C-alpha cells in the first residue's frame, strides 16, 4: 500500500464530531461498554493531563480520583468506542504534560479556570462610567 492510500483511508476513519480538547480541560468521556449481549454507555470524567499522537493515533490521558486513588486512562480520540467527549471546564495551564498533578493532594490538585479574568475586566469600565452619571444626577437634585 502506498502512503497516499493509507492517508486517504485514515482521513475517512477520523472523527470530526468531537470538540477541541486541550491539556488542563475537565472532560466527560462517554465510552461504549459491551457486557455480554448488552451495550451501555459509561462516563469517565477527569482532567486531561496529556495529549499524544497525531492523526488516527491521537490520544488523551484523562486522570480522575476514585476512592482516594488516582485512575488514569489513555483514550484514543478516534476510537469508535468513544461515543462523545464533553468539555466541562477549561483549565489554565502552562505545561504540555501535567504529570505533576499525580503528586498533588486535595485542593492543590485544582486548576484555575482559563476564563477567570473575563468577568472582572468587563465590569470595571461600566462601573467607572456609571459613577459620573450618579454624581451628576445627585448634583442636579
Amino acid at each position: 500500500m502506498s502512503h497516499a492510500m493509507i492517508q486517504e483511508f485514515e482521513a475517512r476513519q477520523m472523527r470530526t464530531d468531537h470538540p477541541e480538547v486541550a491539556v488542563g480541560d475537565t472532560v466527560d468521556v462517554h465510552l461504549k461498554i459491551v457486557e455480554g449481549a448488552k451495550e451501555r454507555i459509561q462516563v469517565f470524567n477527569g482532567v486531561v493531563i496529556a495529549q499524544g499522537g497525531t492523526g488516527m493515533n491521537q490520544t488523551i490521558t484523562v486522570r480522575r480520583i476514585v476512592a482516594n486513588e488516582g485512575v488514569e486512562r489513555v483514550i484514543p480520540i478516534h476510537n469508535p468506542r468513544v461515543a462523545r467527549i464533553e468539555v466541562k471546564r477549561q483549565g489554565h495551564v502552562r505545561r504540555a504534560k501535567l504529570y505533576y498533578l499525580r503528586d498533588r493532594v486535595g485542593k492543590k490538585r485544582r486548576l484555575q479556570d482559563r476564563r477567570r479574568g473575563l468577568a472582572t475586566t468587563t465590569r470595571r469600565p461600566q462601573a467607572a462610567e456609571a459613577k459620573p452619571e450618579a454624581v451628576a444626577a445627585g448634583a442636579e437634585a
Side-chain angles (χ1 to χ4, degrees), residues 125-139:
Q126 294 173 356
E129 294 172 5
K131 287 183 180 179
E133 295 172 5
V135 173

Side-chain angles (χ1 to χ4, degrees), residues 20-64:
E20 289 292 323
V21 178
V23 174
D25 290 354
T26 302
V27 295
D28 284 353
V29 181
H30 298 255
L31 301 167
K32 295 177 186 174
I33 306 294
V34 177
E35 294 174 339
K38 293 183 181 179
E39 183 174 297
R40 65 183 179 89
I41 301 246
Q42 184 178 33
V43 180
F44 189 87
N45 56 352
V47 177
V48 178
I49 64 168
Q51 285 184 323
T54 58
M56 281 293 295
N57 300 324
Q58 187 175 4
T59 61
I60 58 173
T61 303
V62 181
R63 179 176 175 84
R64 66 182 285 193

Side-chain angles (χ1 to χ4, degrees), residues 43-127:
V43 180
F44 189 87
N45 56 352
V47 177
V48 178
I49 64 168
Q51 285 184 323
T54 58
M56 281 293 295
N57 300 324
Q58 187 175 4
T59 61
I60 58 173
T61 303
V62 181
R63 179 176 175 84
R64 66 182 285 193
I65 306 299
V66 179
N68 290 330
E69 285 292 323
V71 177
E72 291 182 8
R73 187 161 184 179
V74 179
I75 300 167
I77 289 184
H78 300 291
N79 190 337
R81 293 270 178 224
V82 176
R84 74 178 176 188
I85 298 174
E86 294 179 25
V87 178
K88 294 295 185 183
R89 189 170 168 263
Q90 295 177 336
H92 176 73
V93 295
R94 297 174 66 180
R95 303 277 182 275
K97 310 285 187 201
L98 303 182
Y99 296 138
Y100 66 89
L101 291 179
R102 293 172 176 166
D103 300 328
R104 301 261 176 120
V105 178
K107 290 185 179 180
K108 294 178 186 176
R109 190 181 302 130
R110 293 185 188 169
L111 298 172
Q112 288 184 340
D113 198 3
R114 192 179 301 163
R115 304 172 309 226
R116 69 188 189 283
L118 295 179
T120 57
T121 56
T122 55
R123 289 184 187 157
R124 287 182 184 162
Q126 294 173 356

